[in-house]
Amino acid sequence: MQTATIEEPLDLVRLSLDEQIYVKLRGNRELHGKLHAFDQHLNMVLDEVEETISEVDENAHSVRKVNRSVPMLFVRGDG
């Protein structure tokens, strides 16, 4: 039986292929989905994505959450 060794951060991402992952993005966006592919820039292709966008209204001191489902999504890693 061969065990996977983690020598650099991308090794940990590689172990998450075909697993459900959580991604926190800029702009109060969060993604939950299955990691289908990635590259060295951490561009990712996710399947069965649930996206949550939190819209903050500072005047009303409230947060509104908007959810959507996306069958497949490309997430740009650098930038």
Side-chain angles (χ1 to χ4, degrees):
M1 182 169 127
Q2 184 178 10
T3 60
T5 60
I6 299 173
E7 296 179 6
E8 58 184 50
L10 286 178
D11 292 337
L12 187 59
V13 177
R14 181 180 39 81
L15 292 175
S16 298
L17 279 171
D18 296 322
E19 300 288 336
Q20 289 288 327
I21 65 167
Y22 167 79
V23 182
K24 175 77 172 153
L25 303 171
R26 290 189 231 167
N28 297 322
R29 294 176 61 202
E30 301 174 9
L31 304 173
H32 287 90
K34 188 186 332 181
L35 181 61
H36 183 69
F38 72 97
D39 66 12
Q40 72 272 15
H41 303 288
L42 279 182
N43 295 314
M44 294 181 280
V45 178
L46 302 176
D47 288 329
E48 304 165 11
V49 180
E50 292 294 323
E51 178 181 29
T52 303
I53 303 171
S54 300
E55 298 176 346
V56 179
D57 184 350
E58 294 183 13
N59 294 331
H61 301 290
S62 65
V63 176
R64 180 174 155 245
K65 294 196 180 251
V66 177
N67 295 308
R68 73 175 180 149
S69 296
V70 183
M72 186 170 281
L73 187 67
F74 176 84
V75 181
R76 184 173 173 184
D78 58 349

